[in-house]
Amino acid sequence: MKKYDVFHKTVRGASHIGRGTPCEDASTSFASVQENEKYYIAAVADGHGDPACVRSGAGAQKAVDIALDCLRIFAEAVLHPDTELDSIKEDLFLARKREQHMKQLTDTILSRWSQAIYADLINNPLTDAELQAVGNSAADYYYWLKAADSNLFEEGNPQTCASKKLEHFYGTTLMAALLVDDMLILLHQGDGRCDVFYQDGSVDQPIPWDDRCQGNVTTSLCDADAAVSVRTCVIDLSEKPILACYLGSDGVEDSFRNMEGTHVFYRKLSCKLIAHGLPNFLNYLEQTLPEFSTEGSRDDISVAGIVDLDALSSHTAEFQEIAEAYDRKEKIYVLQYKQEEYRKRLNEDMPRKLDILRRQLDALFNELTDLQTKKEQCENTLHRLRQEYTAFESDTEKLKQEQDDAFPKFAIEEACRNIINIPQYHPADAVQFEKKPQETQEYIAKQEFLLQQIATLQKNVDKAQQEYQAYKSKYKQAQEALRAIETALEELSAREESDRKDEDNG
Amino acid sequence: MPIIDNLKETPRRALHIFYVLDTSGSMEGESIATLNRAMRETTEALKEVAEKNADAELKIAVMSFASDVHWLNNSGPVALEDFIWEDLTAGGLTEVGAAMKELNSKLQDDVFMKSLAGAYMPIIIFMSDGYATDNYKKQLDIIRQNKMFRRATKIGFAVGDADVKMIAEVVGNSEAVIRTTDLEVFAKLMRFVSVTSSVLRSQSSTQTEGTTGADVVKEAEEQGVVDSQDLVEVLPDYSAEEPWVDPDWA
């Protein structure tokens, strides 16, 4: 049997780092390289980010550990059947029997995973914070705990007492591969992708897809129908030898807009693997996958693989070429998409917002102008009132002075009142003018109120003006970005054209 | 690093929030004024969410419907930084069927759901204060065949004397309908529901644990944003995906 190598690597996603949540992926790999005992295993699992799946990281780790254990037992059984008649290997190529063996294998994994979950719940009860996170499922958990305390488990089986399955606290996907005795056995529940590269350099994803996995929704080991929805596949390597089998969590495929991107990702990985050698390759993954997550899906990333390095090395040039062609094509596609997006923004979205911001600013300006006019009117009135009052005070003072000066003659004047017409200080005039200070105070208060309103409005105007100017700058930046995209596209098209001509001439 | 070279240009996955808002004649006065204020505050709150959410690019599309339908941005969902609320005016009938037809035509991969890095299943927030004046059930049956509509997180607001049953049919679940006569409560809830659903929607989940409108409403109840009296009692199951046939119209 050929010699293969295995590897696995999991890194915490950029979004998990940003939110301060732990890595919820897990991966593992194993190679048994003894003579007559050669088999290879790789597995990845992706715990759900749903807040109710409070222990999905632990669920993922348990899933890969249990899958590894079960696949090792399965590999041993394939390599060392109990009797001549009991040849699993032969059965695996007969549809009906293959189904039975696969069902037994996946049922065992699911059952052991479920047992491990309930054992963990007994040994590590949910914390207060976890209970809060699981929401309404806490009631199911309490019911189950009560049953556990009362020792009500039927035949010691804690699952039977849960009114609702509690496995979803540990919800995870699982994908695993076992290469044994010229067979590649694959099993999968949930999302993530398995890329298998064949000797002729071609690639496919042999595990049937489950259409229920879409967007951020996935099937799971914790689903009620998990036992019947795990997908499996067996490849006869004597007929279809492989270069590599890669397993990746959805953090990989979600970084690309199409599946070709995922294939190219693994082609590039293959080239790096050959260039670095296995030990350095793991360091390379450790260093580059976090950045890959940051600039791609931002999710946790897990990759694992079973690879035939010797066979793979003869394909690196071809893989490199395909990857470069894809990158060029993808760059053009992305630029064209962005060009379209910027045009939409510049022609419709941004002018609409600018127009509304302008109108809002104009309305605020008008309001401010109105207030300023009112304030000026108020100031004029105040000025007039003050002038009138000052004049009145001055007149009154003058009249009083005149009366005081004339006091000695007052008696005579009083006697001659009907004959001589002398200007007098009338109390009625005083009443009229005594109102002036009160009116003045009212206008002063009005002026203060208007000044406050103007100050507030002025702030709003300044804010609106800043927002308008900032958005105008954004508009200009978008125009520049579009120009840069168009220039880049022209350059790329010119280069493509030149390459085509060179090819035609050469 | 050659592996990630081509990802430099990769944008985030899009998360679209669709608002389908009733602006019929019955909304005139205080109701439309509150709706406008609620939406202004909601979009401001969503801007903050969008700035903090590095995992998804939030985009918003607002459709008002009365005697006809109207999108605030005809060219499709807009990133929050380019969005600005412009007050809606009320008047006309309550053509729910026309709104469903228009929504269905835009809820397609190559129309409003177009996205370079893929899109999360959308969030649809439906609000009405009245009774449909057209045969909305026929259009509802059609839009229920739309995968994105089916899988969207749908939340309904029944304001005042709205037809709660109709809104429950639209969002597919009476537990995802909030009924309120208090316009202030409505404004507060609109903001809460929009923000919460957009945060929850961008997290991966199992098919059974996926965020539904009912989950968001439950969250609002748990956090004390909504009183249980504001919630609609559980009505018959409206989530059936089989075409609905009204015996009177059949």
Side-chain angles (χ1 to χ4, degrees):
Chain A
M1 189 189 170
K2 271 185 169 184
K3 181 186 171 294
Y4 293 86
D5 284 284
V6 295
F7 74 90
H8 68 275
K9 178 60 71 185
T10 292
V11 297
R12 191 174 168 209
S15 67
H16 291 244
I17 293 169
R19 286 199 296 261
T21 52
C23 176
E24 287 153 351
D25 270 17
S27 58
T28 191
S29 58
F30 178 80
S32 171
V33 291
Q34 291 167 22
E35 201 54 40
N36 299 325
E37 196 70 36
K38 282 185 182 162
Y39 61 87
Y40 306 88
I41 297 167
V44 297
D46 177 0
H48 311 316
D50 193 306
C53 300
V54 283
R55 290 190 176 174
S56 63
Q61 190 58 54
K62 286 179 196 305
V64 294
D65 290 346
I66 288 164
L68 175 62
D69 203 34
C70 291
L71 287 171
R72 285 185 70 171
I73 294 167
F74 192 83
E76 305 278 345
V78 170
L79 292 170
H80 308 292
D82 288 343
T83 65
E84 284 292 315
L85 293 171
D86 187 18
S87 170
I88 297 178
K89 188 190 166 186
E90 280 173 22
D91 287 354
L92 286 174
F93 295 112
L94 299 169
R96 189 176 54 80
K97 289 197 171 181
R98 177 173 61 230
E99 217 167 279
Q100 282 173 3
H101 284 295
M102 288 293 102
K103 178 95 176 67
Q104 197 176 354
L105 172 64
T106 55
D107 280 355
T108 308
I109 292 173
L110 282 167
S111 163
R112 282 189 54 188
W113 182 76
S114 181
Q115 281 169 17
I117 296 315
Y118 284 94
D120 194 56
L121 276 174
I122 288 171
N123 295 328
N124 305 296
L126 293 187
T127 62
D128 289 345
E130 285 174 329
L131 277 168
Q132 199 167 352
V134 302
N136 290 341
S137 298
D140 296 306
Y141 174 70
Y142 284 126
Y143 176 82
W144 174 81
L145 265 189
K146 200 176 160 192
D149 284 345
S150 316
N151 211 11
L152 288 173
F153 297 145
E154 284 171 26
E155 296 164 3
N157 183 358
Q159 287 103 310
T160 55
C161 279
S163 62
K164 196 177 167 187
K165 291 174 84 183
L166 303 181
E167 286 99 324
H168 68 264
F169 299 158
Y170 295 75
T172 181
T173 67
L174 173 67
M175 181 163 36
L178 164 67
L179 195 153
V180 59
D181 202 10
D182 274 352
M183 281 185 301
L184 178 64
I185 296 162
L186 302 166
L187 58 95
H188 193 183
Q189 171 75 338
D191 55 18
R193 295 284 176 167
C194 168
D195 262 26
V196 178
F197 288 86
Y198 300 95
Q199 289 283 359
D200 60 357
S202 64
V203 59
D204 71 3
Q205 292 175 337
I207 307 175
W209 186 243
D210 189 331
D211 283 334
R212 292 174 298 172
C213 301
Q214 198 179 41
N216 54 333
V217 179
T218 175
T219 55
S220 169
L221 286 191
C222 70
D223 287 346
D225 68 348
V228 290
S229 61
V230 179
R231 296 104 68 197
T232 59
C233 155
V234 179
I235 297 171
D236 182 351
L237 301 183
S238 63
E239 280 184 10
K240 236 181 159 185
I242 65 161
L243 299 173
C245 167
Y246 294 112
L247 313 176
S249 59
D250 67 342
V252 173
E253 83 219 45
D254 288 348
S255 297
F256 302 96
R257 70 177 179 89
N258 56 23
M259 215 42 80
E260 186 52 28
T262 307
H263 299 330
V264 165
F265 171 81
Y266 289 117
R267 282 194 178 99
K268 286 181 177 177
L269 274 196
S270 303
C271 295
K272 287 288 165 190
L273 186 50
I274 298 301
H276 289 287
L278 196 53
N280 291 333
F281 174 69
L282 292 176
N283 290 336
Y284 171 82
L285 288 181
E286 182 79 43
Q287 284 165 13
T288 57
L289 287 184
E291 196 175 340
F292 175 81
S293 167
T294 304
E295 299 188 3
S297 64
R298 303 185 56 80
D299 200 357
D300 293 336
I301 307 279
S302 287
V303 285
I306 301 171
V307 288
D308 178 348
L309 288 177
D310 290 340
L312 205 54
S313 61
S314 60
H315 286 272
T316 50
E318 173 200 342
F319 281 7
Q320 194 65 40
E321 206 174 302
I322 292 172
E324 281 167 11
Y326 172 82
D327 284 351
R328 277 201 304 273
K329 210 172 105 191
E330 193 62 11
K331 200 165 186 178
I332 291 175
Y333 178 87
V334 170
L335 283 173
Q336 282 172 338
Y337 185 91
K338 283 192 170 284
Q339 182 185 36
E340 198 185 319
E341 234 184 16
Y342 270 107
R343 281 182 178 161
K344 173 185 171 290
R345 280 185 78 195
L346 284 163
N347 294 334
E348 297 175 46
D349 303 338
M350 295 187 99
R352 176 186 173 270
K353 184 167 175 174
L354 272 175
D355 179 48
I356 295 171
L357 285 175
R358 180 76 253 177
R359 278 190 276 132
Q360 285 178 347
L361 189 59
D362 288 347
L364 283 171
F365 262 130
N366 290 340
E367 211 181 319
L368 188 64
T369 310
D370 282 353
L371 277 179
Q372 270 162 348
T373 309
K374 277 183 191 166
K375 191 198 84 176
E376 275 165 25
Q377 284 169 352
C378 184
E379 278 170 352
N380 290 341
T381 309
L382 259 177
H383 184 67
R384 182 177 52 78
L385 282 171
R386 278 179 178 141
Q387 272 185 336
E388 282 176 7
Y389 189 67
T390 309
F392 161 74
E393 276 187 327
S394 163
D395 287 352
T396 310
E397 193 58 36
K398 203 174 155 190
L399 274 171
K400 278 183 177 171
Q401 191 60 49
E402 279 176 10
Q403 283 174 355
D404 287 348
D405 291 348
F407 184 71
K409 295 186 273 182
F410 188 73
I412 303 163
E413 285 164 1
E414 182 67 28
C416 301
R417 179 161 299 210
N418 295 326
I419 306 163
I420 305 163
N421 185 20
I422 297 173
Q424 276 192 62
Y425 167 70
H426 292 290
D429 290 344
V431 169
Q432 186 197 339
F433 275 96
E434 270 164 10
K435 281 181 186 169
K436 297 282 176 183
Q438 195 188 337
E439 208 178 342
T440 307
Q441 286 307 316
E442 281 168 12
Y443 270 94
I444 287 172
K446 193 176 174 185
Q447 187 193 31
E448 276 172 14
F449 176 70
L450 282 168
L451 282 170
Q452 276 175 5
Q453 271 197 318
I454 287 169
T456 310
L457 197 60
Q458 186 64 53
K459 275 184 196 162
N460 291 343
V461 169
D462 292 346
K463 201 176 151 196
Q465 208 157 19
Q466 272 174 9
E467 195 182 352
Y468 179 69
Q469 290 303 337
Y471 198 67
K472 245 174 120 175
S473 307
K474 243 180 211 173
Y475 183 79
K476 279 181 189 160
Q477 282 169 10
Q479 279 178 320
E480 281 165 22
L482 178 61
R483 273 196 291 274
I485 287 168
E486 282 170 344
T487 309
L489 267 171
E490 279 167 20
E491 282 172 9
L492 277 172
S493 302
R495 208 181 304 159
E496 290 277 302
E497 184 64 25
S498 155
D499 288 351
R500 240 193 320 271
K501 276 182 187 163
D502 286 351
E503 267 177 37
D504 290 347
N505 293 336
Chain B
M1 277 163 283
I3 290 180
I4 56 174
D5 271 354
N6 62 324
L7 287 176
K8 294 283 182 198
E9 299 286 341
T10 306
R12 292 167 291 166
R13 287 169 86 181
L15 174 57
H16 300 101
I17 310 180
F18 287 85
Y19 289 92
V20 183
L21 308 171
D22 180 354
T23 53
S24 60
S26 56
M27 285 289 290
E28 263 178 10
E30 204 191 336
S31 299
I32 196 75
T34 309
L35 174 66
N36 283 323
R37 184 166 56 80
M39 288 307 297
R40 254 197 309 276
E41 289 170 2
T42 298
T43 49
E44 283 306 310
L46 282 175
K47 262 179 209 169
E48 283 177 33
V49 175
E51 279 165 18
K52 286 178 195 159
N53 193 340
D55 304 335
E57 186 189 16
L58 249 62
K59 287 189 171 186
I60 183 172
V62 181
M63 183 216 289
S64 62
F65 69 94
S67 296
D68 49 22
V69 298
H70 168 72
W71 291 97
L72 237 58
N73 289 71
N74 285 317
S75 56
V78 191
L80 263 302
E81 65 165 330
D82 290 333
F83 184 80
I84 186 164
W85 181 259
E86 193 174 28
D87 284 355
L88 299 171
T89 52
L93 303 172
T94 310
E95 303 280 285
V96 176
M100 291 299 106
K101 187 178 179 187
E102 175 62 20
L103 184 61
N104 188 36
S105 71
K106 297 292 190 282
L107 215 53
Q108 311 286 339
D109 274 333
D110 54 349
V111 192
F112 275 16
M113 297 298 288
K114 208 173 169 187
S115 174
L116 188 57
Y120 291 100
M121 285 298 145
I123 296 161
I124 299 170
I125 296 177
F126 181 85
M127 187 282 303
S128 178
D129 76 331
Y131 283 70
T133 50
D134 62 355
N135 178 5
Y136 70 95
K137 302 205 181 201
K138 187 181 163 197
Q139 290 303 329
L140 192 56
D141 285 343
I142 295 171
I143 200 172
R144 277 175 177 167
Q145 310 303 313
N146 183 323
K147 194 168 61 186
M148 286 178 194
F149 180 81
R150 274 208 313 267
R151 294 199 171 179
T153 298
K154 298 184 283 292
I155 298 143
F157 279 98
V159 180
D161 297 326
D163 182 353
V164 173
K165 183 171 166 284
M166 175 269 288
I167 298 172
E169 280 180 296
V170 169
V171 300
N173 184 352
S174 62
E175 289 176 55
V177 180
I178 299 167
R179 176 174 50 191
T180 180
T181 48
D182 186 335
L183 291 170
E184 284 307 311
V185 172
F186 162 70
K188 197 166 69 170
L189 281 170
M190 179 62 99
R191 198 168 59 240
F192 177 86
V193 159
S194 301
V195 169
T196 306
S197 53
S198 61
V199 171
L200 290 177
R201 200 39 157 160
S202 49
Q203 290 165 336
S204 85
S205 55
T206 66
Q207 35 167 356
T208 47
E209 294 296 314
T211 308
T212 65
D215 294 331
V216 178
V217 174
K218 213 170 277 175
E219 181 82 11
E221 192 186 4
E222 279 169 9
Q223 293 205 18
V225 184
V226 58
D227 289 336
S228 51
Q229 63 189 28
D230 289 324
L231 301 176
V232 171
E233 67 278 17
V234 178
L235 299 173
D237 183 16
Y238 294 118
S239 60
E241 284 160 15
E242 288 302 310
W244 190 91
V245 180
D246 188 320
D248 297 335
W249 294 334

